[in-house]
Amino acid sequence: MRKYIEPRLRRDFGGIISAYFDFLKGNFKEIINMFVGYNGIFVIFILISVYLMITGIVAIAIAQNSYSIGGSNAEESAALMTGLGVILLIIVFLIATLLNYTLSSAYVSLYEKRKVNNIPRKDAWEKAKRHLGGIFLVALVAIGLYIVYFIVQVILAFIPFLGSIISIFIGLGFNAWISLTIFSYVHNENSTVFGAFREAWDLLFSNFWKAIGVNFVLGLIIQIALMALNILPAILVGVYIFHTVESGTSLDESVFGQILLVVVISLFCLMLMFIQLLSQTINAFVYFNLHEFKHNTYLRSRIENIGENI
């Protein structure tokens, strides 16, 4: 049984990364159980939306190659089906993102408070659902901020080289700010949404480079590791495409090809959702580290305990 990893210790850049992976080793199984348990319904909707997209695209291809009367109506219906699939997928993905960010925040919060590994997923859900209304408000504020962020990115796009570098740092900082805000709101029971935004802002700029650096390094490692799992499906798609080109078969003539695309795209969406969940646990560790450096809460508690035991 792996020991509890105290997330509130004052650690340097490498220490945070090492501590996070130790935490992940002791809690990965339960985190997966939590992801599977509360994302099952999204799997169904993702499959439906991707199916509508692929079916619509295939129907458009058939309609464009058809010269029969009513071909225009068939193409419009196919386009409508494709659009419906895309809209449904976006909505499902956004809802899943909010839920997974909240669940992972609740999990690490309970981990720190109980100081044990493998927090039951039901306990994480109970804590998470109390904050879903506030998280929805966080999302609305984040959308408004993202519009400003997008305008800034467009402006920076006109600045050669330097604009691209600044754009990357602003992007990492913006994502870290929103993630820290979500964790602050979920972890601190008496926190308000705008209070969480203020605290996250203060913590982020108390050590900006450490915050974005940890996010970049750990996020990159996790994405590479999980994307490696998509190698086999990618190979299957590649083999199928090669076979269709060689045989002259089109997608609309192959039921297997359509099913394969639906499954692969759905798996890719699920992988992105799981990466989001893990990325929020990273920011939870960043939050505790920045908070300890700024307020020395854990250090003070240890000093007080030593004084009481003397």
Side-chain angles (χ1 to χ4, degrees):
M1 183 177 179
R2 297 188 179 275
K3 65 178 182 178
Y4 165 77
I5 305 299
E6 177 57 65
R8 296 180 296 167
L9 292 179
R10 296 163 64 92
R11 295 183 172 95
D12 58 13
F13 183 88
I16 298 175
I17 294 175
S18 177
Y20 176 75
F21 279 116
D22 288 338
F23 158 79
L24 207 56
K25 290 175 185 176
N27 294 269
F28 192 67
K29 181 179 178 181
E30 192 59 37
I31 288 175
I32 290 179
N33 288 336
M34 181 175 68
F35 177 77
V36 173
Y38 292 107
N39 284 269
I41 185 67
F42 297 124
V43 174
I44 298 173
F45 282 108
I46 286 174
L47 286 170
I48 293 173
S49 59
V50 174
Y51 171 78
L52 289 174
M53 287 170 51
I54 298 301
T55 304
I57 291 172
V58 170
I60 290 174
I62 294 173
Q64 288 179 342
N65 294 327
S66 174
Y67 296 96
S68 60
I69 300 175
S72 177
N73 292 333
E75 188 172 347
E76 290 178 3
S77 299
L80 181 62
M81 182 182 297
T82 304
L84 181 62
V86 172
I87 293 172
L88 179 61
L89 183 62
I90 292 173
I91 293 173
V92 170
F93 202 79
L94 289 176
I95 295 174
T97 297
L98 291 180
L99 177 63
N100 287 320
Y101 268 68
T102 311
L103 276 174
S104 54
S105 297
Y107 185 93
V108 182
S109 177
L110 292 174
Y111 172 82
E112 186 275 325
K113 291 176 180 177
R114 297 183 183 180
K115 305 190 184 310
V116 294
N117 289 318
N118 296 314
I119 301 297
R121 67 183 187 184
K122 290 183 179 179
D123 293 354
W125 166 245
E126 287 297 322
K127 182 176 179 62
K129 72 180 183 180
R130 295 198 301 269
H131 296 85
L132 286 176
I135 293 299
F136 180 72
L137 179 57
V138 170
L140 291 179
V141 176
I143 291 173
L145 293 171
Y146 185 81
I147 294 173
V148 177
Y149 164 77
F150 179 76
I151 294 172
V152 172
Q153 294 287 50
V154 170
I155 295 172
L156 290 173
F158 291 97
I159 305 175
F161 185 69
L162 184 60
S164 300
I165 301 298
I166 296 174
S167 175
I168 292 172
F169 289 131
I170 290 178
L172 289 170
F174 181 79
N175 291 333
W177 181 31
I178 300 301
S179 297
L180 289 171
T181 298
I182 292 173
F183 184 78
S184 174
Y185 179 72
V186 174
H187 179 63
N188 301 300
E189 293 291 341
N190 297 322
S191 177
T192 63
V193 169
F194 294 103
F197 269 105
R198 281 195 301 272
E199 183 187 35
W201 180 270
D202 291 340
L203 291 178
L204 176 63
F205 286 98
S206 67
N207 200 327
F208 181 78
W209 298 113
K210 179 190 286 187
I212 66 170
V214 171
N215 267 278
F216 176 76
V217 172
L218 284 177
L220 183 63
I221 292 173
I222 288 174
Q223 287 186 45
I224 292 174
L226 292 178
M227 287 303 175
L229 298 176
N230 284 326
I231 291 178
L232 180 58
I235 291 175
L236 290 174
V237 172
V239 171
Y240 168 75
I241 292 175
F242 176 79
H243 172 72
T244 54
V245 171
E246 287 293 312
S247 62
T249 307
S250 61
L251 181 62
D252 55 278
E253 297 174 349
S254 174
V255 176
F256 172 78
Q258 296 175 34
I259 294 174
L260 181 62
L261 283 177
V262 169
V263 172
V264 170
I265 295 174
S266 298
L267 285 175
F268 180 75
C269 291
L270 290 173
M271 199 65 68
L272 287 179
M273 288 161 56
F274 190 58
I275 288 174
Q276 289 177 334
L277 187 144
L278 289 181
S279 69
Q280 184 60 5
T281 60
I282 294 171
N283 281 290
F285 266 71
V286 172
Y287 171 90
F288 283 122
N289 186 268
L290 297 178
H291 190 277
E292 184 60 23
F293 268 98
K294 188 175 180 63
H295 301 289
N296 295 309
T297 307
Y298 180 66
L299 180 61
R300 289 176 186 172
S301 67
R302 292 186 68 182
I303 294 173
E304 291 173 358
N305 289 335
I306 292 172
E308 292 174 358
N309 294 328
I310 295 177

